Amino acid sequence: MAIIIDGKQISADIRAEVAVEVEKMKTDHGLTPGLAVVLVGEDPASQVYVRNKESACHEVGFNSFKYELPADTTQEKLMQLVDELNCRDDVHGILVQLPLPKHLDSSLVLLAIDPNKDVDGFHPVNVGRLAVGQATLPPCTPAGCVELLKRSGAELEGANAVIVGRSNIVGKPAALLLLSENCTVTIAHSKTKDLPGVCRAADILVAAVGIPKMITGDMVGEGATVIDVGINRTAEGLVGDVDFEAASQKARAITPVPGGVGPMTIAMLMKNTLKAAQMR
Ligand code: GUN
């Protein structure tokens, strides 16, 4: 049986580590990191995410600034708010909750955020920094995957890492992060030939496709570490991209869904906000 990687516990550990650093920053420099979260409209899921981010801020000792704008907010108004937040000295991180209402262009909004305050790591400048190996604010979910790997005792150097899925917010940045950890990286996707064979050869298997239980037991190599980024709502409840029961017979260690990657995103957001404040 595989080790179950406890994302809830690891997330709590990271938030506690951030809280210690924040305390130091306050006493040594009189500086409190601040995160601004912008929510446009009333999407209930987004409201929950934003509330969770706010309470994580309070837990680690950050200032939290919440902006709730009506669903009919204009592009101009939103850009104006981002500009204001870019200029503020007490705001070190800016997060615009996605998805935005359809009439708004999210790529223009993300471009407007100061890259040094882009705690989501979505700005093309930060994506570029990641690609060329410069210091950056990495996207939270893939950075969380790397933390789970490291803290579960996976050997990264020289490991065969296979990422299934090539999205801009998980698959691609996960590949770049694992490359910088000296993994041999393969990005597999829907057009990959012999996907089961490619997956079976992985020491580290990251599933980020959004298809329930797509990674079956026969696609997992003996002793692999499996990170399941999928969160799929099905009739049987929340299900990952990996068939957990079957995969855990083969894997050395595996993340559950829920309670694996999910809780890590907020922890990494806290880490990025601290880093943004330290960079200044
Ligand atoms: N919506 C769902 N996840 C995220 C995230 O990580 N960042 C932002 N900005 N919006 C999201």
Side-chain angles (χ1 to χ4, degrees), residues 49 53 95-99 120 122 141 265:
Y49 292 140
K53 286 165 186 172
L95 182 145
V96 177
Q97 186 67 28
L98 302 175
D120 260 329
F122 292 163
T141 300
T265 304

Side-chain angles (χ1 to χ4, degrees), residues 167-248:
S167 71
N168 287 331
I169 57 171
V170 184
K172 281 187 218 169
L176 291 168
L177 285 169
L178 288 171
L179 185 60
S180 68
E181 298 291 340
N182 295 319
C183 293
T184 302
V185 177
T186 303
I187 305 180
H189 47 77
S190 55
K191 304 287 192 289
T192 295
K193 282 187 204 163
D194 185 24
L195 181 64
V198 169
C199 291
R200 258 194 308 274
D203 304 309
I204 289 161
L205 184 59
V206 179
V209 271
I211 302 173
K213 297 190 182 183
M214 197 212 130
I215 306 296
T216 51
D218 64 305
M219 295 167 82
V220 177
E222 288 290 340
T225 303
V226 179
I227 304 291
D228 189 349
V229 190
I231 300 178
N232 308 292
R233 276 167 229 286
T234 71
E236 49 179 301
L238 220 54
V239 169
D241 291 348
V242 177
D243 181 344
F244 180 86
E245 296 307 324
S248 54

